[in-house]
Amino acid sequence: MDLELGPLKPEPAELILGLAFFFLVLLTLGRVVLPRVERVLAERHDATEGRLERAAATVAEAERTLDEYRQELAAARHEAARIRQQAAEEGAAAVAAAREEGLRERDLLLAEADARLAVDRAFAEAALREDVGRLATELAGRVVGESVAAVSAERRTVERFFDRPTTEER
């Protein structure tokens, strides 16, 4: 069965040589060219997809940093509010203490003034009793026309006069 293939019938030596060159080219492509192509494709993938992944990681890091910043800011605001509240309470306590001290000083001054007034009143009463007694004795002596009595009698009369309850006290 020898088919006549004509020009399609290859020579065995050419066929072997062609197959050898085919495998040689295939080996060269597999060892040299295809790794370079894969490396270039990986670089392109890294350039496009890798940048997107790095950008997404950078964005996630930025969001995490922003959240931390916001938390720290909220904590700082809370601390500032606590410090303001504490200062207001201390200020109110200082005002209350100053007010209390002022009231104590006022009460002390009023007590001292009352004591001074009581002493001055007692001195004025004593001086007035003496003057009223002397004037009453002198007036009684003028009315009677002679000296009324000795000094001791004058004093007893005056003392009895002032010791008597008045009409308002009865």
Side-chain angles (χ1 to χ4, degrees):
M1 164 124 204
D2 198 11
L3 292 172
E4 239 352 273
L5 292 176
L8 291 177
K9 186 174 178 187
E11 290 294 319
E14 288 178 3
L15 185 63
I16 291 174
L17 186 62
L19 282 174
F21 280 125
F22 175 74
F23 285 118
L24 182 66
V25 169
L26 187 63
L27 183 68
T28 305
L29 282 175
R31 300 247 178 190
V32 176
V33 176
L34 286 176
R36 287 183 186 170
V37 169
E38 286 180 12
R39 189 172 57 239
V40 169
L41 287 176
E43 287 174 0
R44 285 185 183 173
H45 179 270
D46 186 47
T48 57
E49 296 294 324
R51 284 185 184 170
L52 289 176
E53 291 170 359
R54 285 191 300 275
T58 303
V59 167
E61 177 69 24
E63 287 177 355
R64 191 172 352 101
T65 303
L66 181 62
D67 287 341
E68 289 174 3
Y69 168 74
R70 286 181 179 158
Q71 289 173 354
E72 289 176 8
L73 186 61
R77 286 181 179 156
H78 179 70
E79 181 68 17
R82 186 190 64 77
I83 289 171
R84 278 193 306 271
Q85 179 66 28
Q86 183 180 0
E89 290 171 359
E90 288 174 1
V95 166
R99 181 177 291 133
E100 187 176 314
E101 178 66 24
L103 290 175
R104 268 197 305 270
E105 287 180 16
R106 181 201 66 184
D107 292 343
L108 180 63
L109 288 174
L110 287 175
E112 287 176 2
D114 286 343
R116 254 188 257 128
L117 283 175
V119 168
D120 290 347
R121 184 177 188 189
F123 282 137
E125 275 185 22
L128 187 61
R129 281 184 182 201
E130 188 176 313
D131 287 345
V132 168
R134 186 178 45 78
L135 289 174
T137 305
E138 196 176 298
L139 184 60
R142 284 187 189 168
V143 169
V144 172
E146 60 184 68
S147 178
V148 175
V151 175
S152 61
E154 290 177 22
R155 288 193 182 206
R156 278 184 293 189
T157 306
V158 170
E159 292 297 324
R160 276 190 307 219
F161 173 75
F162 282 117
D163 288 339
R164 249 187 333 159
T166 61
T167 56
E168 294 172 1
E169 293 176 358
R170 290 183 193 165

mmCIF file with all atom_site columns, all heavy atoms in Angstrom, residues 4-27:
data_model
loop_
_atom_site.group_PDB
_atom_site.id
_atom_site.type_symbol
_atom_site.label_atom_id
_atom_site.label_alt_id
_atom_site.label_comp_id
_atom_site.label_asym_id
_atom_site.label_entity_id
_atom_site.label_seq_id
_atom_site.pdbx_PDB_ins_code
_atom_site.Cartn_x
_atom_site.Cartn_y
_atom_site.Cartn_z
_atom_site.occupancy
_atom_site.B_iso_or_equiv
_atom_site.pdbx_formal_charge
_atom_site.auth_seq_id
_atom_site.auth_comp_id
_atom_site.auth_asym_id
_atom_site.auth_atom_id
_atom_site.pdbx_PDB_model_num
ATOM 1   N N   . GLU A 1 4  ? 0.929  7.131  -2.981 1.00 0.00 ? 4  GLU A N   1
ATOM 2   C CA  . GLU A 1 4  ? 1.711  8.137  -3.647 1.00 0.00 ? 4  GLU A CA  1
ATOM 3   C C   . GLU A 1 4  ? 1.273  9.474  -3.101 1.00 0.00 ? 4  GLU A C   1
ATOM 4   O O   . GLU A 1 4  ? 0.193  9.937  -3.387 1.00 0.00 ? 4  GLU A O   1
ATOM 5   C CB  . GLU A 1 4  ? 1.320  8.093  -5.102 1.00 0.00 ? 4  GLU A CB  1
ATOM 6   C CG  . GLU A 1 4  ? 2.155  7.845  -6.225 1.00 0.00 ? 4  GLU A CG  1
ATOM 7   C CD  . GLU A 1 4  ? 3.581  7.738  -6.185 1.00 0.00 ? 4  GLU A CD  1
ATOM 8   O OE1 . GLU A 1 4  ? 4.216  8.758  -6.284 1.00 0.00 ? 4  GLU A OE1 1
ATOM 9   O OE2 . GLU A 1 4  ? 4.081  6.633  -6.053 1.00 0.00 ? 4  GLU A OE2 1
ATOM 10  N N   . LEU A 1 5  ? 2.100  10.080 -2.347 1.00 0.00 ? 5  LEU A N   1
ATOM 11  C CA  . LEU A 1 5  ? 1.751  11.345 -1.749 1.00 0.00 ? 5  LEU A CA  1
ATOM 12  C C   . LEU A 1 5  ? 2.308  12.491 -2.578 1.00 0.00 ? 5  LEU A C   1
ATOM 13  O O   . LEU A 1 5  ? 1.951  13.625 -2.342 1.00 0.00 ? 5  LEU A O   1
ATOM 14  C CB  . LEU A 1 5  ? 2.286  11.419 -0.321 1.00 0.00 ? 5  LEU A CB  1
ATOM 15  C CG  . LEU A 1 5  ? 1.637  10.476 0.682  1.00 0.00 ? 5  LEU A CG  1
ATOM 16  C CD1 . LEU A 1 5  ? 2.330  10.608 2.004  1.00 0.00 ? 5  LEU A CD1 1
ATOM 17  C CD2 . LEU A 1 5  ? 0.182  10.701 0.829  1.00 0.00 ? 5  LEU A CD2 1
ATOM 18  N N   . GLY A 1 6  ? 3.125  12.236 -3.407 1.00 0.00 ? 6  GLY A N   1
ATOM 19  C CA  . GLY A 1 6  ? 3.673  13.241 -4.284 1.00 0.00 ? 6  GLY A CA  1
ATOM 20  C C   . GLY A 1 6  ? 4.612  14.174 -3.532 1.00 0.00 ? 6  GLY A C   1
ATOM 21  O O   . GLY A 1 6  ? 5.485  13.732 -2.822 1.00 0.00 ? 6  GLY A O   1
ATOM 22  N N   . PRO A 1 7  ? 4.387  15.453 -3.724 1.00 0.00 ? 7  PRO A N   1
ATOM 23  C CA  . PRO A 1 7  ? 5.278  16.401 -3.095 1.00 0.00 ? 7  PRO A CA  1
ATOM 24  C C   . PRO A 1 7  ? 5.149  16.406 -1.579 1.00 0.00 ? 7  PRO A C   1
ATOM 25  O O   . PRO A 1 7  ? 5.994  16.923 -0.877 1.00 0.00 ? 7  PRO A O   1
ATOM 26  C CB  . PRO A 1 7  ? 4.877  17.734 -3.664 1.00 0.00 ? 7  PRO A CB  1
ATOM 27  C CG  . PRO A 1 7  ? 3.593  17.569 -4.342 1.00 0.00 ? 7  PRO A CG  1
ATOM 28  C CD  . PRO A 1 7  ? 3.365  16.112 -4.547 1.00 0.00 ? 7  PRO A CD  1
ATOM 29  N N   . LEU A 1 8  ? 4.112  15.778 -1.073 1.00 0.00 ? 8  LEU A N   1
ATOM 30  C CA  . LEU A 1 8  ? 3.948  15.750 0.367  1.00 0.00 ? 8  LEU A CA  1
ATOM 31  C C   . LEU A 1 8  ? 4.740  14.628 1.000  1.00 0.00 ? 8  LEU A C   1
ATOM 32  O O   . LEU A 1 8  ? 4.777  14.523 2.204  1.00 0.00 ? 8  LEU A O   1
ATOM 33  C CB  . LEU A 1 8  ? 2.478  15.579 0.728  1.00 0.00 ? 8  LEU A CB  1
ATOM 34  C CG  . LEU A 1 8  ? 1.569  16.753 0.420  1.00 0.00 ? 8  LEU A CG  1
ATOM 35  C CD1 . LEU A 1 8  ? 0.139  16.402 0.768  1.00 0.00 ? 8  LEU A CD1 1
ATOM 36  C CD2 . LEU A 1 8  ? 1.988  17.991 1.132  1.00 0.00 ? 8  LEU A CD2 1
ATOM 37  N N   . LYS A 1 9  ? 5.382  13.832 0.243  1.00 0.00 ? 9  LYS A N   1
ATOM 38  C CA  . LYS A 1 9  ? 6.140  12.724 0.793  1.00 0.00 ? 9  LYS A CA  1
ATOM 39  C C   . LYS A 1 9  ? 7.508  13.244 1.179  1.00 0.00 ? 9  LYS A C   1
ATOM 40  O O   . LYS A 1 9  ? 8.333  13.547 0.335  1.00 0.00 ? 9  LYS A O   1
ATOM 41  C CB  . LYS A 1 9  ? 6.265  11.610 -0.252 1.00 0.00 ? 9  LYS A CB  1
ATOM 42  C CG  . LYS A 1 9  ? 6.898  10.419 0.284  1.00 0.00 ? 9  LYS A CG  1
ATOM 43  C CD  . LYS A 1 9  ? 6.852  9.348  -0.757 1.00 0.00 ? 9  LYS A CD  1
ATOM 44  C CE  . LYS A 1 9  ? 7.558  8.148  -0.201 1.00 0.00 ? 9  LYS A CE  1
ATOM 45  N NZ  . LYS A 1 9  ? 7.733  7.090  -1.134 1.00 0.00 ? 9  LYS A NZ  1
ATOM 46  N N   . PRO A 1 10 ? 7.774  13.360 2.474  1.00 0.00 ? 10 PRO A N   1
ATOM 47  C CA  . PRO A 1 10 ? 9.054  13.897 2.911  1.00 0.00 ? 10 PRO A CA  1
ATOM 48  C C   . PRO A 1 10 ? 10.153 12.844 2.852  1.00 0.00 ? 10 PRO A C   1
ATOM 49  O O   . PRO A 1 10 ? 9.899  11.671 2.947  1.00 0.00 ? 10 PRO A O   1
ATOM 50  C CB  . PRO A 1 10 ? 8.793  14.328 4.335  1.00 0.00 ? 10 PRO A CB  1
ATOM 51  C CG  . PRO A 1 10 ? 7.678  13.481 4.789  1.00 0.00 ? 10 PRO A CG  1
ATOM 52  C CD  . PRO A 1 10 ? 6.882  13.109 3.574  1.00 0.00 ? 10 PRO A CD  1
ATOM 53  N N   . GLU A 1 11 ? 11.323 13.346 2.822  1.00 0.00 ? 11 GLU A N   1
ATOM 54  C CA  . GLU A 1 11 ? 12.497 12.485 2.872  1.00 0.00 ? 11 GLU A CA  1
ATOM 55  C C   . GLU A 1 11 ? 12.767 12.200 4.323  1.00 0.00 ? 11 GLU A C   1
ATOM 56  O O   . GLU A 1 11 ? 12.654 13.080 5.170  1.00 0.00 ? 11 GLU A O   1
ATOM 57  C CB  . GLU A 1 11 ? 13.710 13.197 2.265  1.00 0.00 ? 11 GLU A CB  1
ATOM 58  C CG  . GLU A 1 11 ? 13.648 13.389 0.783  1.00 0.00 ? 11 GLU A CG  1
ATOM 59  C CD  . GLU A 1 11 ? 13.704 12.068 0.049  1.00 0.00 ? 11 GLU A CD  1
ATOM 60  O OE1 . GLU A 1 11 ? 14.469 11.170 0.418  1.00 0.00 ? 11 GLU A OE1 1
ATOM 61  O OE2 . GLU A 1 11 ? 12.931 11.955 -0.886 1.00 0.00 ? 11 GLU A OE2 1
ATOM 62  N N   . PRO A 1 12 ? 13.138 10.976 4.683  1.00 0.00 ? 12 PRO A N   1
ATOM 63  C CA  . PRO A 1 12 ? 13.350 10.657 6.075  1.00 0.00 ? 12 PRO A CA  1
ATOM 64  C C   . PRO A 1 12 ? 14.464 11.487 6.696  1.00 0.00 ? 12 PRO A C   1
ATOM 65  O O   . PRO A 1 12 ? 14.365 11.873 7.865  1.00 0.00 ? 12 PRO A O   1
ATOM 66  C CB  . PRO A 1 12 ? 13.711 9.194  6.094  1.00 0.00 ? 12 PRO A CB  1
ATOM 67  C CG  . PRO A 1 12 ? 13.368 8.669  4.746  1.00 0.00 ? 12 PRO A CG  1
ATOM 68  C CD  . PRO A 1 12 ? 13.199 9.812  3.830  1.00 0.00 ? 12 PRO A CD  1
ATOM 69  N N   . ALA A 1 13 ? 15.516 11.786 5.999  1.00 0.00 ? 13 ALA A N   1
ATOM 70  C CA  . ALA A 1 13 ? 16.604 12.579 6.576  1.00 0.00 ? 13 ALA A CA  1
ATOM 71  C C   . ALA A 1 13 ? 16.116 13.995 6.865  1.00 0.00 ? 13 ALA A C   1
ATOM 72  O O   . ALA A 1 13 ? 16.425 14.598 7.912  1.00 0.00 ? 13 ALA A O   1
ATOM 73  C CB  . ALA A 1 13 ? 17.800 12.606 5.630  1.00 0.00 ? 13 ALA A CB  1
ATOM 74  N N   . GLU A 1 14 ? 15.327 14.548 5.966  1.00 0.00 ? 14 GLU A N   1
ATOM 75  C CA  . GLU A 1 14 ? 14.794 15.889 6.175  1.00 0.00 ? 14 GLU A CA  1
ATOM 76  C C   . GLU A 1 14 ? 13.793 15.892 7.333  1.00 0.00 ? 14 GLU A C   1
ATOM 77  O O   . GLU A 1 14 ? 13.731 16.834 8.120  1.00 0.00 ? 14 GLU A O   1
ATOM 78  C CB  . GLU A 1 14 ? 14.094 16.371 4.903  1.00 0.00 ? 14 GLU A CB  1
ATOM 79  C CG  . GLU A 1 14 ? 15.024 16.704 3.784  1.00 0.00 ? 14 GLU A CG  1
ATOM 80  C CD  . GLU A 1 14 ? 14.268 17.125 2.532  1.00 0.00 ? 14 GLU A CD  1
ATOM 81  O OE1 . GLU A 1 14 ? 13.008 17.213 2.566  1.00 0.00 ? 14 GLU A OE1 1
ATOM 82  O OE2 . GLU A 1 14 ? 14.931 17.379 1.542  1.00 0.00 ? 14 GLU A OE2 1
ATOM 83  N N   . LEU A 1 15 ? 13.047 14.802 7.397  1.00 0.00 ? 15 LEU A N   1
ATOM 84  C CA  . LEU A 1 15 ? 12.075 14.696 8.472  1.00 0.00 ? 15 LEU A CA  1
ATOM 85  C C   . LEU A 1 15 ? 12.787 14.641 9.835  1.00 0.00 ? 15 LEU A C   1
ATOM 86  O O   . LEU A 1 15 ? 12.382 15.329 10.780 1.00 0.00 ? 15 LEU A O   1
ATOM 87  C CB  . LEU A 1 15 ? 11.195 13.465 8.268  1.00 0.00 ? 15 LEU A CB  1
ATOM 88  C CG  . LEU A 1 15 ? 10.056 13.299 9.267  1.00 0.00 ? 15 LEU A CG  1
ATOM 89  C CD1 . LEU A 1 15 ? 9.069  14.438 9.186  1.00 0.00 ? 15 LEU A CD1 1
ATOM 90  C CD2 . LEU A 1 15 ? 9.366  11.979 9.051  1.00 0.00 ? 15 LEU A CD2 1
ATOM 91  N N   . ILE A 1 16 ? 13.817 13.894 9.968  1.00 0.00 ? 16 ILE A N   1
ATOM 92  C CA  . ILE A 1 16 ? 14.548 13.778 11.232 1.00 0.00 ? 16 ILE A CA  1
ATOM 93  C C   . ILE A 1 16 ? 15.218 15.104 11.552 1.00 0.00 ? 16 ILE A C   1
ATOM 94  O O   . ILE A 1 16 ? 15.184 15.569 12.701 1.00 0.00 ? 16 ILE A O   1
ATOM 95  C CB  . ILE A 1 16 ? 15.557 12.630 11.147 1.00 0.00 ? 16 ILE A CB  1
ATOM 96  C CG1 . ILE A 1 16 ? 14.797 11.319 11.100 1.00 0.00 ? 16 ILE A CG1 1
ATOM 97  C CG2 . ILE A 1 16 ? 16.517 12.647 12.321 1.00 0.00 ? 16 ILE A CG2 1
ATOM 98  C CD1 . ILE A 1 16 ? 15.651 10.114 10.879 1.00 0.00 ? 16 ILE A CD1 1
ATOM 99  N N   . LEU A 1 17 ? 15.829 15.699 10.528 1.00 0.00 ? 17 LEU A N   1
ATOM 100 C CA  . LEU A 1 17 ? 16.486 16.980 10.750 1.00 0.00 ? 17 LEU A CA  1
ATOM 101 C C   . LEU A 1 17 ? 15.444 18.038 11.137 1.00 0.00 ? 17 LEU A C   1
ATOM 102 O O   . LEU A 1 17 ? 15.669 18.847 12.043 1.00 0.00 ? 17 LEU A O   1
ATOM 103 C CB  . LEU A 1 17 ? 17.253 17.404 9.486  1.00 0.00 ? 17 LEU A CB  1
ATOM 104 C CG  . LEU A 1 17 ? 18.110 18.645 9.621  1.00 0.00 ? 17 LEU A CG  1
ATOM 105 C CD1 . LEU A 1 17 ? 19.207 18.450 10.661 1.00 0.00 ? 17 LEU A CD1 1
ATOM 106 C CD2 . LEU A 1 17 ? 18.693 19.032 8.286  1.00 0.00 ? 17 LEU A CD2 1
ATOM 107 N N   . GLY A 1 18 ? 14.289 18.057 10.530 1.00 0.00 ? 18 GLY A N   1
ATOM 108 C CA  . GLY A 1 18 ? 13.218 19.013 10.854 1.00 0.00 ? 18 GLY A CA  1
ATOM 109 C C   . GLY A 1 18 ? 12.703 18.821 12.265 1.00 0.00 ? 18 GLY A C   1
ATOM 110 O O   . GLY A 1 18 ? 12.448 19.778 13.008 1.00 0.00 ? 18 GLY A O   1
ATOM 111 N N   . LEU A 1 19 ? 12.549 17.518 12.642 1.00 0.00 ? 19 LEU A N   1
ATOM 112 C CA  . LEU A 1 19 ? 12.098 17.252 14.001 1.00 0.00 ? 19 LEU A CA  1
ATOM 113 C C   . LEU A 1 19 ? 13.148 17.679 15.019 1.00 0.00 ? 19 LEU A C   1
ATOM 114 O O   . LEU A 1 19 ? 12.820 18.211 16.083 1.00 0.00 ? 19 LEU A O   1
ATOM 115 C CB  . LEU A 1 19 ? 11.770 15.775 14.174 1.00 0.00 ? 19 LEU A CB  1
ATOM 116 C CG  . LEU A 1 19 ? 10.421 15.325 13.598 1.00 0.00 ? 19 LEU A CG  1
ATOM 117 C CD1 . LEU A 1 19 ? 10.269 13.807 13.697 1.00 0.00 ? 19 LEU A CD1 1
ATOM 118 C CD2 . LEU A 1 19 ? 9.275  15.988 14.310 1.00 0.00 ? 19 LEU A CD2 1
ATOM 119 N N   . ALA A 1 20 ? 14.417 17.466 14.689 1.00 0.00 ? 20 ALA A N   1
ATOM 120 C CA  . ALA A 1 20 ? 15.489 17.863 15.602 1.00 0.00 ? 20 ALA A CA  1
ATOM 121 C C   . ALA A 1 20 ? 15.492 19.377 15.787 1.00 0.00 ? 20 ALA A C   1
ATOM 122 O O   . ALA A 1 20 ? 15.613 19.894 16.910 1.00 0.00 ? 20 ALA A O   1
ATOM 123 C CB  . ALA A 1 20 ? 16.845 17.361 15.085 1.00 0.00 ? 20 ALA A CB  1
ATOM 124 N N   . PHE A 1 21 ? 15.365 20.112 14.675 1.00 0.00 ? 21 PHE A N   1
ATOM 125 C CA  . PHE A 1 21 ? 15.315 21.569 14.775 1.00 0.00 ? 21 PHE A CA  1
ATOM 126 C C   . PHE A 1 21 ? 14.051 22.035 15.513 1.00 0.00 ? 21 PHE A C   1
ATOM 127 O O   . PHE A 1 21 ? 14.095 22.988 16.284 1.00 0.00 ? 21 PHE A O   1
ATOM 128 C CB  . PHE A 1 21 ? 15.395 22.223 13.390 1.00 0.00 ? 21 PHE A CB  1
ATOM 129 C CG  . PHE A 1 21 ? 16.774 22.312 12.843 1.00 0.00 ? 21 PHE A CG  1
ATOM 130 C CD1 . PHE A 1 21 ? 17.088 21.770 11.586 1.00 0.00 ? 21 PHE A CD1 1
ATOM 131 C CD2 . PHE A 1 21 ? 17.771 22.929 13.567 1.00 0.00 ? 21 PHE A CD2 1
ATOM 132 C CE1 . PHE A 1 21 ? 18.364 21.849 11.078 1.00 0.00 ? 21 PHE A CE1 1
ATOM 133 C CE2 . PHE A 1 21 ? 19.056 22.998 13.047 1.00 0.00 ? 21 PHE A CE2 1
ATOM 134 C CZ  . PHE A 1 21 ? 19.364 22.464 11.817 1.00 0.00 ? 21 PHE A CZ  1
ATOM 135 N N   . PHE A 1 22 ? 12.948 21.350 15.280 1.00 0.00 ? 22 PHE A N   1
ATOM 136 C CA  . PHE A 1 22 ? 11.694 21.697 15.974 1.00 0.00 ? 22 PHE A CA  1
ATOM 137 C C   . PHE A 1 22 ? 11.864 21.562 17.494 1.00 0.00 ? 22 PHE A C   1
ATOM 138 O O   . PHE A 1 22 ? 11.497 22.448 18.255 1.00 0.00 ? 22 PHE A O   1
ATOM 139 C CB  . PHE A 1 22 ? 10.546 20.816 15.466 1.00 0.00 ? 22 PHE A CB  1
ATOM 140 C CG  . PHE A 1 22 ? 9.265  21.019 16.211 1.00 0.00 ? 22 PHE A CG  1
ATOM 141 C CD1 . PHE A 1 22 ? 8.498  22.156 16.006 1.00 0.00 ? 22 PHE A CD1 1
ATOM 142 C CD2 . PHE A 1 22 ? 8.822  20.081 17.148 1.00 0.00 ? 22 PHE A CD2 1
ATOM 143 C CE1 . PHE A 1 22 ? 7.320  22.341 16.706 1.00 0.00 ? 22 PHE A CE1 1
ATOM 144 C CE2 . PHE A 1 22 ? 7.643  20.272 17.831 1.00 0.00 ? 22 PHE A CE2 1
ATOM 145 C CZ  . PHE A 1 22 ? 6.882  21.408 17.620 1.00 0.00 ? 22 PHE A CZ  1
ATOM 146 N N   . PHE A 1 23 ? 12.433 20.407 17.905 1.00 0.00 ? 23 PHE A N   1
ATOM 147 C CA  . PHE A 1 23 ? 12.635 20.210 19.351 1.00 0.00 ? 23 PHE A CA  1
ATOM 148 C C   . PHE A 1 23 ? 13.674 21.176 19.908 1.00 0.00 ? 23 PHE A C   1
ATOM 149 O O   . PHE A 1 23 ? 13.558 21.626 21.046 1.00 0.00 ? 23 PHE A O   1
ATOM 150 C CB  . PHE A 1 23 ? 13.005 18.755 19.652 1.00 0.00 ? 23 PHE A CB  1
ATOM 151 C CG  . PHE A 1 23 ? 11.825 17.840 19.555 1.00 0.00 ? 23 PHE A CG  1
ATOM 152 C CD1 . PHE A 1 23 ? 11.802 16.802 18.617 1.00 0.00 ? 23 PHE A CD1 1
ATOM 153 C CD2 . PHE A 1 23 ? 10.722 18.009 20.380 1.00 0.00 ? 23 PHE A CD2 1
ATOM 154 C CE1 . PHE A 1 23 ? 10.701 15.956 18.519 1.00 0.00 ? 23 PHE A CE1 1
ATOM 155 C CE2 . PHE A 1 23 ? 9.631  17.151 20.273 1.00 0.00 ? 23 PHE A CE2 1
ATOM 156 C CZ  . PHE A 1 23 ? 9.618  16.129 19.341 1.00 0.00 ? 23 PHE A CZ  1
ATOM 157 N N   . LEU A 1 24 ? 14.676 21.525 19.115 1.00 0.00 ? 24 LEU A N   1
ATOM 158 C CA  . LEU A 1 24 ? 15.683 22.490 19.544 1.00 0.00 ? 24 LEU A CA  1
ATOM 159 C C   . LEU A 1 24 ? 15.051 23.861 19.736 1.00 0.00 ? 24 LEU A C   1
ATOM 160 O O   . LEU A 1 24 ? 15.297 24.546 20.736 1.00 0.00 ? 24 LEU A O   1
ATOM 161 C CB  . LEU A 1 24 ? 16.823 22.549 18.514 1.00 0.00 ? 24 LEU A CB  1
ATOM 162 C CG  . LEU A 1 24 ? 17.968 23.480 18.868 1.00 0.00 ? 24 LEU A CG  1
ATOM 163 C CD1 . LEU A 1 24 ? 18.709 22.977 20.098 1.00 0.00 ? 24 LEU A CD1 1
ATOM 164 C CD2 . LEU A 1 24 ? 18.915 23.614 17.697 1.00 0.00 ? 24 LEU A CD2 1
ATOM 165 N N   . VAL A 1 25 ? 14.215 24.279 18.787 1.00 0.00 ? 25 VAL A N   1
ATOM 166 C CA  . VAL A 1 25 ? 13.514 25.570 18.907 1.00 0.00 ? 25 VAL A CA  1
ATOM 167 C C   . VAL A 1 25 ? 12.548 25.518 20.091 1.00 0.00 ? 25 VAL A C   1
ATOM 168 O O   . VAL A 1 25 ? 12.444 26.469 20.870 1.00 0.00 ? 25 VAL A O   1
ATOM 169 C CB  . VAL A 1 25 ? 12.787 25.927 17.595 1.00 0.00 ? 25 VAL A CB  1
ATOM 170 C CG1 . VAL A 1 25 ? 11.846 27.106 17.784 1.00 0.00 ? 25 VAL A CG1 1
ATOM 171 C CG2 . VAL A 1 25 ? 13.782 26.216 16.496 1.00 0.00 ? 25 VAL A CG2 1
ATOM 172 N N   . LEU A 1 26 ? 11.856 24.397 20.238 1.00 0.00 ? 26 LEU A N   1
ATOM 173 C CA  . LEU A 1 26 ? 10.920 24.247 21.352 1.00 0.00 ? 26 LEU A CA  1
ATOM 174 C C   . LEU A 1 26 ? 11.666 24.323 22.690 1.00 0.00 ? 26 LEU A C   1
ATOM 175 O O   . LEU A 1 26 ? 11.206 24.973 23.628 1.00 0.00 ? 26 LEU A O   1
ATOM 176 C CB  . LEU A 1 26 ? 10.157 22.927 21.213 1.00 0.00 ? 26 LEU A CB  1
ATOM 177 C CG  . LEU A 1 26 ? 9.015  22.704 22.205 1.00 0.00 ? 26 LEU A CG  1
ATOM 178 C CD1 . LEU A 1 26 ? 7.933  23.756 22.013 1.00 0.00 ? 26 LEU A CD1 1
ATOM 179 C CD2 . LEU A 1 26 ? 8.440  21.316 22.020 1.00 0.00 ? 26 LEU A CD2 1
ATOM 180 N N   . LEU A 1 27 ? 12.825 23.671 22.779 1.00 0.00 ? 27 LEU A N   1
ATOM 181 C CA  . LEU A 1 27 ? 13.628 23.707 23.998 1.00 0.00 ? 27 LEU A CA  1
ATOM 182 C C   . LEU A 1 27 ? 14.132 25.117 24.276 1.00 0.00 ? 27 LEU A C   1
ATOM 183 O O   . LEU A 1 27 ? 14.092 25.584 25.415 1.00 0.00 ? 27 LEU A O   1
ATOM 184 C CB  . LEU A 1 27 ? 14.800 22.718 23.857 1.00 0.00 ? 27 LEU A CB  1
ATOM 185 C CG  . LEU A 1 27 ? 15.687 22.585 25.083 1.00 0.00 ? 27 LEU A CG  1
ATOM 186 C CD1 . LEU A 1 27 ? 14.914 21.915 26.218 1.00 0.00 ? 27 LEU A CD1 1
ATOM 187 C CD2 . LEU A 1 27 ? 16.924 21.780 24.737 1.00 0.00 ? 27 LEU A CD2 1
#
